Amino acid sequence: MAVRHRLIRTPPHTVWSVLEDGTRYAEWVVGTATSKPVHGHWPSLGSAIGFEVRLGPLSLTNETVVRRCVQGEILELEAKAGPLGTARIAIELRPWGDHCLVIVDEHPLRGAGGLVHNVAVEALIQLRHRAMLARLATLCETQEAEAEHHRTLGQVVSTDPAPDGGGPRA
């Protein structure tokens, strides 16, 4: 079971906004060339994103399905990898002061991936997670910096949820 974490220097709601945008999946998931929502409304339970992995002239398409979602906190996915089987990927967001601690936990669920899972495969998953979390951090921190740049000078932004239960108040 590969577990990795990273402190992303943005509030959790910024990280969640990237995770809940199904069109941005390929931007932070390592190895994915393209992605698009294919079933349901991402990230609702049972919704899916189709993705493409390119290896030279080869192109493989599969999908990732939401198996559990706690809005703003937990996203559990089942990534299908054709003949290799499926993997469970759990992403947890925890507030850490003004920032967000992101924890990723991945392990084989079904198929051949579980049969060949060993220390070497675990090391490769750890390297992939390191790169994936770095990409996610860059996206979130860039998005937050751009939002900060566009705020009206002197505008105070609360990190408390808005009275309607939505995102942060401005």
Side-chain angles (χ1 to χ4, degrees), residues 7-8 10-13 15 72-73 92-103 159:
L7 185 66
I8 297 181
T10 67
H13 68 83
V15 179
E73 297 177 17
E92 181 181 352
L93 309 184
R94 292 185 188 170
W96 199 261
D98 292 336
H99 302 125
C100 180
L101 181 63
V102 180
I103 302 163
T159 57

Side-chain angles (χ1 to χ4, degrees), residues 1-167:
M1 182 165 50
V3 179
R4 186 149 202 94
H5 67 276
R6 180 173 178 131
L7 185 66
I8 297 181
R9 300 187 186 290
T10 67
H13 68 83
T14 300
V15 179
W16 187 259
S17 72
V18 172
L19 296 179
E20 75 176 349
D21 184 347
T23 63
R24 300 188 78 185
Y25 185 82
E27 293 179 51
W28 58 272
V29 176
V30 173
T32 304
T34 63
S35 64
K36 66 179 180 180
V38 293
H39 304 293
H41 185 268
W42 186 267
S44 61
L45 189 65
S47 62
I49 287 180
F51 64 90
E52 180 182 36
V53 176
R54 294 185 193 133
L55 301 169
L58 297 175
S59 177
L60 306 169
T61 58
N62 274 303
E63 67 178 31
T64 297
V65 179
V66 176
R67 296 299 183 203
R68 181 173 178 237
C69 179
V70 177
Q71 184 71 23
E73 297 177 17
I74 298 170
L75 184 59
E76 290 189 15
L77 309 170
E78 183 175 353
K80 299 178 181 179
L84 293 178
T86 66
R88 173 194 170 267
I89 303 158
I91 303 167
E92 181 181 352
L93 309 184
R94 292 185 188 170
W96 199 261
D98 292 336
H99 302 125
C100 180
L101 181 63
V102 180
I103 302 163
V104 178
D105 173 358
E106 178 178 351
H107 64 271
L109 192 60
R110 299 186 190 122
L115 297 174
V116 297
H117 192 82
N118 57 37
V119 175
V121 171
E122 190 80 14
L124 290 173
I125 292 171
Q126 286 287 347
L127 290 172
R128 180 174 173 262
H129 283 182
R130 181 183 301 160
M132 182 178 78
L133 287 169
R135 283 181 172 190
L136 183 60
T138 298
L139 283 171
C140 296
E141 291 166 1
T142 299
Q143 179 175 304
E144 187 70 14
E146 288 172 359
E148 183 65 31
H149 178 73
H150 288 99
R151 285 192 186 104
T152 306
L153 188 60
Q155 182 181 14
V156 176
V157 177
S158 170
T159 57
D160 295 334
D164 63 358

